[in-house]
Short mmCIF file of all heavy atoms in Angstrom, two decimals:
data_model
loop_
_atom_site.label_atom_id
_atom_site.label_comp_id
_atom_site.label_asym_id
_atom_site.label_seq_id
_atom_site.Cartn_x
_atom_site.Cartn_y
_atom_site.Cartn_z
N ARG S 366 26.72 147.42 -38.73
CA ARG S 366 27.50 148.54 -38.15
C ARG S 366 26.82 149.14 -36.92
O ARG S 366 27.43 149.90 -36.19
CB ARG S 366 27.75 149.61 -39.21
CG ARG S 366 28.67 149.15 -40.31
CD ARG S 366 29.11 150.33 -41.20
NE ARG S 366 29.97 149.85 -42.27
CZ ARG S 366 29.57 149.69 -43.54
NH1 ARG S 366 28.31 150.00 -43.88
NH2 ARG S 366 30.40 149.26 -44.45
N THR S 367 25.53 148.83 -36.76
CA THR S 367 24.85 149.22 -35.52
C THR S 367 25.15 148.23 -34.41
O THR S 367 25.47 148.62 -33.28
CB THR S 367 23.33 149.30 -35.77
OG1 THR S 367 23.04 150.24 -36.81
CG2 THR S 367 22.60 149.74 -34.50
N ALA S 368 25.04 146.94 -34.73
CA ALA S 368 25.26 145.91 -33.72
C ALA S 368 26.75 145.80 -33.35
O ALA S 368 27.07 145.59 -32.17
CB ALA S 368 24.75 144.56 -34.25
N GLY S 369 27.65 145.95 -34.33
CA GLY S 369 29.07 145.77 -34.09
C GLY S 369 29.62 146.71 -33.01
O GLY S 369 30.26 146.23 -32.05
N PRO S 370 29.42 148.02 -33.14
CA PRO S 370 29.96 148.91 -32.11
C PRO S 370 29.35 148.67 -30.72
O PRO S 370 30.04 148.77 -29.70
CB PRO S 370 29.56 150.30 -32.62
CG PRO S 370 29.47 150.14 -34.09
CD PRO S 370 28.92 148.77 -34.30
N LEU S 371 28.05 148.34 -30.68
CA LEU S 371 27.42 148.07 -29.37
C LEU S 371 28.01 146.82 -28.75
O LEU S 371 28.30 146.78 -27.55
CB LEU S 371 25.91 147.96 -29.53
CG LEU S 371 25.19 149.21 -30.05
CD1 LEU S 371 23.71 148.92 -30.23
CD2 LEU S 371 25.41 150.38 -29.08
N GLY S 372 28.17 145.77 -29.56
CA GLY S 372 28.78 144.54 -29.06
C GLY S 372 30.23 144.76 -28.65
O GLY S 372 30.68 144.24 -27.63
N ALA S 373 30.93 145.59 -29.44
CA ALA S 373 32.34 145.88 -29.10
C ALA S 373 32.46 146.59 -27.79
O ALA S 373 33.36 146.31 -26.98
CB ALA S 373 32.98 146.69 -30.23
N ALA S 374 31.56 147.55 -27.54
CA ALA S 374 31.60 148.31 -26.28
C ALA S 374 31.39 147.37 -25.08
O ALA S 374 32.09 147.50 -24.07
CB ALA S 374 30.55 149.40 -26.29
N TRP S 375 30.45 146.44 -25.21
CA TRP S 375 30.19 145.52 -24.12
C TRP S 375 31.34 144.54 -23.93
O TRP S 375 31.82 144.32 -22.80
CB TRP S 375 28.90 144.74 -24.39
CG TRP S 375 28.61 143.72 -23.32
CD1 TRP S 375 28.12 143.97 -22.07
CD2 TRP S 375 28.82 142.30 -23.41
NE1 TRP S 375 28.01 142.79 -21.38
CE2 TRP S 375 28.43 141.73 -22.19
CE3 TRP S 375 29.25 141.46 -24.43
CZ2 TRP S 375 28.48 140.38 -21.94
CZ3 TRP S 375 29.33 140.10 -24.20
CH2 TRP S 375 28.94 139.57 -22.95
N LEU S 376 31.85 143.98 -25.04
CA LEU S 376 32.95 143.02 -24.96
C LEU S 376 34.24 143.65 -24.45
O LEU S 376 35.01 143.03 -23.74
CB LEU S 376 33.18 142.38 -26.33
CG LEU S 376 32.11 141.39 -26.80
CD1 LEU S 376 32.34 141.02 -28.26
CD2 LEU S 376 32.12 140.13 -25.94
N TYR S 377 34.44 144.93 -24.79
CA TYR S 377 35.65 145.64 -24.34
C TYR S 377 35.67 145.76 -22.82
O TYR S 377 36.72 145.73 -22.20
CB TYR S 377 35.71 147.01 -25.00
CG TYR S 377 37.03 147.73 -24.82
CD1 TYR S 377 38.18 147.31 -25.47
CD2 TYR S 377 37.13 148.84 -23.98
CE1 TYR S 377 39.38 147.97 -25.32
CE2 TYR S 377 38.33 149.52 -23.83
CZ TYR S 377 39.46 149.09 -24.50
OH TYR S 377 40.66 149.73 -24.33
N GLY S 378 34.48 145.88 -22.24
CA GLY S 378 34.39 145.92 -20.78
C GLY S 378 34.70 144.59 -20.14
O GLY S 378 35.17 144.54 -19.00
N VAL S 379 34.50 143.50 -20.88
CA VAL S 379 34.84 142.17 -20.40
C VAL S 379 36.35 141.94 -20.51
O VAL S 379 37.00 141.51 -19.54
CB VAL S 379 34.08 141.08 -21.20
CG1 VAL S 379 34.53 139.68 -20.78
CG2 VAL S 379 32.58 141.26 -21.04
N SER S 380 36.88 142.25 -21.68
CA SER S 380 38.33 142.13 -21.92
C SER S 380 38.68 142.91 -23.18
O SER S 380 37.92 142.85 -24.18
CB SER S 380 38.69 140.65 -22.11
OG SER S 380 39.99 140.54 -22.68
N PRO S 381 39.79 143.64 -23.20
CA PRO S 381 40.18 144.36 -24.42
C PRO S 381 40.41 143.44 -25.62
O PRO S 381 40.30 143.88 -26.77
CB PRO S 381 41.48 145.06 -24.00
CG PRO S 381 41.38 145.23 -22.54
CD PRO S 381 40.67 143.99 -22.07
#
Side-chain angles (χ1 to χ4, degrees):
R366 292 192 182 103
T367 302
L371 297 177
W375 178 75
L376 288 170
Y377 191 71
V379 175
S380 165

